[in-house]
């Protein structure tokens, strides 16, 4: 047995198939058959064809269906009783072309321009050239279609390729139809998957440097994205042609802001995402106007607080109120792009709480600070502290410090309680500091200016003892101009005998008695052995050791009981 030949060699859907077999034999053949399985088996006799010198089946096999397998078994017997049976030989009819479009693949995309994009599939096993994908829009009559454009592709077998045409949506809502091989130039047995129809809502709008938002590149247009929701990017906002993407959000990011109540616009959440196409990312400081009609928001928020837009801060994980105006029953805000925005009823009208400290100590007006102090502002608010450049500002001697000099401690984990630290470099002399802290609702705490001093060197300012005379305890108060290395308070009798030494490590009421600024050290009228001292006068010595010098202050105290 020398092999088998099918004619045609690669049968397609419409082809009948003839079977040829080559056999060498010494004796005449008495029997030659082929068993054809399709999948049912049928036995066909073979006769010798003198022209081809091969044995051919006495009848052809009818055309097979797409992808159908053909299995052949050959059996030969000569006049001497010798037999030959061949192993199975299998063939498959090619699937041919199988062009398809999928419903969810038809999308509207936009970067510098807006395009309709789809994916054309050839799931068959033959290459198809010059395949047309046609795009159409349903006319207002709901019956006829307007041609938008054709895209021509060469589709290799078992592959997909993107297809697209430029498109400018003229309506807020529209219906599109895409058809692959609309003129039926490609033979297929199943063409039901060659066409898709999909309804769209416009979410992408052209933006140009000279016009801003526009619909046909002929004039500046205010976009009515949805009923009562309008968006505008002004001319000159972008440096090159791009697109504005607007998306309604079904779910809005939740947060623990008890005085922020998310409102609805009709039956949907009043929340939107704004972004620019990639070409617009080069333009800095792009802002968009948003207008929202109040008619369907008022009833939901009556009496609950101010109605305003807020922006989701991805760093703070909080909603931050944006400056919102109300004009003729319509909210208006000028907002940065990109960003996520929502309409809230905000009932918070209480400013955040804030206080200032230096080197971990509460700051006292007129006190000393080092030349390079660590100044910290502690702020807290139930709805969150706005630590953006607009939310926190610090001035020293009426000069606003750059935001880049601020550092925030644990702000990501506990944004309701924030510590912002600065480390300015100060000259010796008198200074003052003031600051502003804003919460997520826009309420601001404006601190009055606080004066302070930077000493020329290391100084100890002893402020006195109180009470004096005392009964059970007395307090020594002092200020340090800079960090000290050590501190002691020594108590003596009038005869000069040392009865008590209080070191910096013994001070429990002050976590940092060696730091700059105001401090207090308390003596409980006990000696080194814990016994109460007798009534009378005592001397004290306050000793502070700095890096380069030691400073002492001496005074008298009296115990009376």
């Amino acid at each position: 047995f020398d092999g088998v030949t099918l004619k045609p060699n690669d049968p397609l859907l419409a082809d009948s198939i003839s079977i040829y077999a080559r056999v060498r034999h010494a004796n005449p053949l008495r029997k030659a058959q082929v068993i054809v399985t399709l999948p049912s088996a049928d036995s066909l006799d073979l006769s010798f064809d003198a022209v081809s010198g091969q044995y051919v089946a006495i009848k052809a096999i009818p055309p097979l269906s797409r992808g159908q397998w053909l299995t052949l078994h050959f059996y030969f017997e000569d006049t001497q009783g010798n037999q030959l049976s061949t192993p199975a030989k299998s063939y498959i009819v090619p699937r041919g072309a199988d062009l398809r479009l999928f419903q969810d693949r038809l999308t509207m995309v936009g970067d510098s321009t807006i395009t309709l994009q789809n994916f054309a599939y050839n799931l068959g096993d033959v290459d198809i050239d010059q395949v047309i994908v046609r795009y159409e829009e349903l006319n207002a009559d709901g019956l006829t279609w307007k041609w938008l454009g054709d895209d021509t592709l060469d589709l290799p077998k078992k592959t997909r390729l993107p297809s697209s045409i430029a498109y400018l949506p003229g309506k807020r809502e529209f219906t599109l139809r895409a058809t692959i091989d609309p003129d039926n130039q490609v033979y297929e047995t199943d063409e039901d998957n060659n066409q898709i129809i999909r309804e769209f809502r416009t979410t992408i709008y052209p933006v140009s440097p000279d016009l801003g938002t526009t619909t046909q590149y002929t004039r500046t247009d205010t976009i009515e994205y949805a009923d009562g929701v309008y968006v505008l990017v002004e001319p000159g906002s972008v440096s090159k042609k791009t697109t504005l993407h607007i998306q309604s959000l079904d779910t809005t990011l939740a947060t623990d802001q008890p005085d922020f109540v998310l409102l609805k616009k009709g039956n949907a959440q009043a929340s939107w995402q704004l972004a620019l196409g990639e070409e617009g990312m080069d333009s800095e400081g792009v802002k968009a106007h948003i207008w929202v009609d109040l008619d369907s928001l008022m009833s939901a928020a009556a009496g609950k607080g101010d109605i305003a837009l807020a922006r989701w801060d991805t760093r703070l994980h909080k909603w931050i109120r944006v400056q919102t105006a109300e004009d003729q029953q319509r909210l208006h805000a000028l907002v940065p792009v990109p960003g996520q925005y929502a309409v809230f009823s905000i009932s918070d009208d209480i400013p955040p709480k804030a206080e200032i400290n230096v080197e971990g100590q509460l700051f006292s007006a007129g006190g000393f600070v080092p030349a390079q102090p660590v100044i910290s502002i502690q702020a807290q608010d139930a709805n969150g502290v706005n630590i953006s450049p607009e939310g926190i500002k610090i001035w020293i001697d009426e000069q606003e410090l750059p935001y880049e000099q601020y550092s925030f401690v644990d702000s990501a984990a506990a944004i309701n309680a924030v510590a912002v630290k600065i480390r300015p470099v100060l000259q010796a002399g008198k200074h003052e500091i003031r600051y502003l802290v804003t919460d997520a609702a826009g309420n601001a705490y404006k601190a009055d200016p606080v004066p302070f001093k930077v000493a020329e060197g290391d100084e100890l300012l002893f402020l006195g003892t109180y009470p004096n005379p005392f009964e059970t305890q007395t307090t020594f108060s002092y200020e340090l101009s800079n960090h000290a290395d050590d501190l002691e308070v020594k108590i003596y009798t009038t005869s000069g005998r040392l009865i008590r030494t209080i070191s910096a490590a013994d001070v429990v009421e002050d976590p940092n008695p060696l730091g700059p600024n105001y401090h207090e050290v308390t003596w409980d009228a006990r000696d080194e052995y814990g016994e109460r001292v007798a009534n009378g006068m005592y001397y004290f010595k306050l000793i502070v050791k700095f890096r380069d010098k030691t400073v002492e202050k001496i005074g008298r105290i009296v115990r009376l009981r």
Side-chain angles (χ1 to χ4, degrees):
F1 182 73
D2 279 347
V4 62
T5 301
L6 299 183
K7 292 186 179 181
N9 291 331
D10 295 311
L12 298 178
L13 293 175
D15 295 329
S16 296
I17 303 172
S18 297
I19 303 172
Y20 291 79
R22 295 185 300 276
V23 183
R24 291 178 297 171
H25 50 89
N27 301 311
L29 293 182
R30 183 171 59 189
K31 190 175 185 180
Q33 287 183 325
V34 59
I35 299 174
V36 181
T37 304
L38 291 172
S40 60
D42 188 15
S43 177
L44 298 177
D45 289 334
L46 301 173
S47 62
F48 184 72
D49 178 30
V51 176
S52 64
Q54 301 181 74
Y55 285 83
V56 60
I58 60 174
K59 67 177 181 179
I61 299 173
L64 304 181
S65 59
R66 182 194 305 270
Q68 185 173 357
W69 284 92
L70 169 66
T71 304
L72 305 177
H73 294 265
F74 290 90
Y75 174 79
F76 302 95
E77 182 179 341
D78 65 14
T79 54
Q80 300 299 316
N82 299 309
Q83 297 178 351
L84 173 65
S85 179
T86 67
K89 293 184 177 295
S90 297
Y91 305 87
I92 187 172
V93 175
R95 297 177 62 88
D98 184 6
L99 304 178
R100 294 191 185 187
L101 298 176
F102 288 91
Q103 181 83 10
D104 59 349
R105 298 294 185 178
L106 179 59
T107 57
M108 186 167 62
V109 298
D111 186 5
S112 59
T113 59
I114 301 175
T115 60
L116 294 177
Q117 181 173 289
N118 200 356
F119 280 95
Y121 289 76
N122 178 9
L123 302 182
D125 46 17
V126 294
D127 299 338
I128 306 295
D129 296 333
Q130 298 294 295
V131 178
I132 293 176
V133 181
R134 179 162 297 164
Y135 296 88
E136 299 165 293
E137 181 178 341
L138 185 64
N139 288 318
D141 60 13
L143 299 173
T144 58
W145 295 85
K146 178 179 70 175
W147 177 84
L148 299 176
D150 288 347
D151 188 24
T152 303
L153 304 171
D154 291 337
L155 276 175
K157 59 186 177 182
K158 298 186 183 301
T159 191
R160 72 170 189 177
L161 290 177
S163 168
S164 63
I165 63 167
Y167 178 66
L168 278 176
K171 296 179 292 185
R172 199 171 75 195
E173 296 178 347
F174 52 94
T175 301
L176 296 180
R177 181 171 73 180
T179 308
I180 189 169
D181 188 31
D183 300 323
N184 295 318
Q185 297 298 306
V186 179
Y187 176 76
E188 298 179 84
T189 58
D190 181 10
E191 295 183 347
D192 291 341
N193 49 28
N194 285 21
Q195 186 177 90
I196 56 175
I197 297 175
R198 187 174 181 185
E199 295 180 349
F200 281 84
R201 169 184 285 272
T202 303
T203 60
I204 307 175
Y205 304 90
V207 182
S208 68
D210 54 337
L211 297 175
T213 45
T214 180
T215 55
Q216 299 294 330
Y217 290 110
T218 58
R219 65 181 185 184
T220 301
D221 293 302
T222 298
I223 305 299
E224 185 178 8
Y225 168 70
D227 290 339
V229 180
Y230 308 87
V231 181
L232 169 70
V233 176
E234 293 183 353
S237 299
V238 297
S239 58
K240 61 180 71 172
K241 278 188 176 182
T242 184
T243 49
L244 176 66
H245 298 241
I246 310 175
Q247 180 182 1
S248 296
L249 301 177
D250 295 330
T251 57
T252 300
L253 297 167
T255 183
D256 55 343
Q257 294 176 276
D259 297 317
F260 281 59
V261 178
L262 179 65
L263 302 184
K264 289 187 175 182
K265 183 70 177 169
N267 295 322
Q269 292 184 148
S271 181
W272 308 275
Q273 177 81 39
L274 273 63
L276 293 174
E278 289 186 10
E279 291 293 333
M281 295 303 181
D282 296 337
S283 302
E284 296 183 358
V286 178
K287 292 190 175 183
H289 294 270
I290 298 180
W291 292 272
V292 181
D293 287 344
L294 285 171
D295 53 359
S296 61
L297 296 175
M298 294 297 291
S299 60
K304 294 183 179 180
D306 293 337
I307 301 176
L309 277 90
R311 182 174 189 263
W312 177 254
D313 193 304
T314 56
R315 177 188 177 192
L316 310 182
H317 299 287
K318 295 285 185 182
W319 289 99
I320 304 298
R321 179 175 181 165
V322 298
Q323 186 173 352
T324 306
E326 182 179 338
D327 182 24
Q328 297 180 350
Q329 292 297 300
R330 179 177 288 180
L331 293 178
H332 171 244
L334 182 62
V335 299
V337 180
Q340 180 175 334
Y341 298 92
V343 181
F344 288 89
S345 172
I346 303 174
S347 56
D348 179 9
D349 58 1
I350 301 174
K353 297 178 180 179
E355 63 181 20
I356 188 170
N357 64 54
V358 177
E359 304 293 333
Q361 300 289 319
L362 286 177
F363 196 52
S364 59
F368 284 108
V369 303
Q372 289 184 274
V374 176
I375 299 176
S376 176
I377 296 172
Q378 310 280 345
Q380 58 181 339
D381 188 89
N383 293 293
V385 179
N386 180 5
I387 63 172
S388 70
E390 297 77 25
I392 289 187
K393 297 179 182 292
I394 303 173
W395 295 265
I396 293 181
D397 299 332
E398 294 305 316
Q399 294 292 319
E400 183 178 350
L401 299 186
Y403 185 77
E404 293 74 19
Q405 295 183 10
Y406 301 176
S407 62
F408 297 91
V409 180
D410 295 332
S411 58
I415 199 63
N416 288 4
V418 179
V420 54
K421 292 187 176 183
I422 58 172
R423 194 178 182 91
V425 178
L426 303 170
Q427 300 296 321
K430 294 181 178 180
H431 302 273
E432 68 175 18
I433 184 171
R434 65 183 178 93
Y435 57 92
L436 177 144
V437 179
T438 307
D439 64 15
N443 304 302
Y445 175 85
K446 299 178 181 179
D448 293 330
V450 180
F452 63 93
K453 301 186 293 287
V454 176
E456 292 281 356
D458 298 328
E459 300 292 341
L460 165 64
L461 177 62
F462 179 64
L463 302 176
T465 60
Y466 68 92
N468 189 14
F470 67 96
E471 181 179 355
T472 59
Q473 67 179 31
T474 188
T475 298
F476 305 88
S477 58
Y478 62 95
E479 285 188 18
L480 299 177
S481 63
N482 284 305
H483 287 280
D485 294 332
D486 199 6
L487 173 143
E488 288 183 328
V489 177
K490 294 181 179 291
I491 311 296
Y492 299 88
T493 64
T494 54
S495 63
R497 182 170 62 89
L498 177 65
I499 61 171
R500 179 74 181 273
T501 299
I502 303 173
S503 67
D506 298 326
V507 179
V508 296
E509 63 270 25
D510 189 336
N512 184 21
L514 301 176
N517 213 342
Y518 178 82
H519 301 280
E520 294 181 348
V521 176
T522 299
W523 178 42
D524 59 3
R526 297 180 185 274
D527 60 17
E528 295 287 357
Y529 303 103
E531 300 293 334
R532 291 282 187 181
V533 300
N535 286 353
M537 184 173 65
Y538 296 86
Y539 290 96
F540 69 86
K541 185 184 293 185
L542 175 61
I543 307 168
V544 176
K545 295 180 180 180
F546 295 101
R547 181 178 57 181
D548 298 325
K549 66 178 182 179
T550 299
V551 181
E552 296 183 357
K553 300 293 182 181
I554 299 174
R556 293 181 298 177
I557 49 178
V558 177
R559 185 185 184 215
L560 296 176
R561 55 176 182 173

